Amino acid sequence: NIAQDLLFRRAIFTNTISKKLRRAGIIVNDPKKVGQYKSLEEFIASGKTLPAKFLDEAVQESLGFTFAKTPKQIKGKMNLGYNFIKFTEAAGPLPLPVNTVIFPFARFMVNAIEFQYKYSPLSIVNSGITSAKYGFNKIVDKLSKETKRVDAMKKSGELMKAREDFSKGIIGSAALIAAIKYRADNQDVKWYEYKTQDGTTGDLRPFFPLAPYLAIGDALVKIANDDTEKLNGRDFLEGLTGAQFR
């Protein structure tokens, strides 16, 4: 697992740096200006220093991809995920309601919940809200003969994030629909099991993020079938968060 994490982190880190340099116009397909390069390799060979912001964002992206990121604590705002991780790690094995015995993988659990939120229909809603805000600001700017509101949104990256939220929401919604269909057709096996051709079953829980979608899909199917007595709260939470409660 450690070797896999390092491999994926390195790949995501490199890809994120390359993507950000392209968006900044530093890496282009046909470099014609001073300070433009055709590839990340050319940029590195030039001896230029990467912007610290790009490095930090690439590190966070690579850690997030492997569910090892610590949520950022924003001054003046409460971050439940950050506080949960810090409290759990500080408590260690002490006999408290939240500790490393009950939640041995608190960091993974918080990242898994964040992933589920981003790759769900809720992201489409967020994207719609941002798009509506952009449309409203565009009208206001046109009436006041200014562009400061729209320019501020573009500069802050809100529009780019809205596009990313929309695409993630579509992917997550498609995965959820597929999970609901699968569980509706396979209520004769446990929510995390799949059937092989010879009739035996296999466990899908290790293949994150399949498990959370199956857990939600199974719960929705059971609720629709008025079969809620078969729902297991512990199993559902473990499937949804990727946690292993002890």
Side-chain angles (χ1 to χ4, degrees), residues 105-122:
F105 306 109
R107 197 182 304 270
F108 181 91
M109 180 179 172
V110 170
N111 278 274
I113 293 172
E114 182 182 357
F115 178 92
Q116 289 305 303
Y117 173 76
K118 287 180 178 178
Y119 287 85
S120 75
L122 293 174

Side-chain angles (χ1 to χ4, degrees), residues 188-223:
D188 55 328
V189 296
K190 295 177 181 177
W191 67 266
Y192 54 82
E193 290 181 336
Y194 69 94
K195 290 184 287 188
T196 62
Q197 290 182 344
D198 61 4
T200 58
T201 59
D203 193 340
L204 289 168
R205 285 177 295 184
F207 302 102
F208 194 89
L210 287 178
Y213 291 111
L214 290 172
I216 296 171
D218 184 67
L220 292 175
V221 169
K222 282 182 168 58
I223 290 170

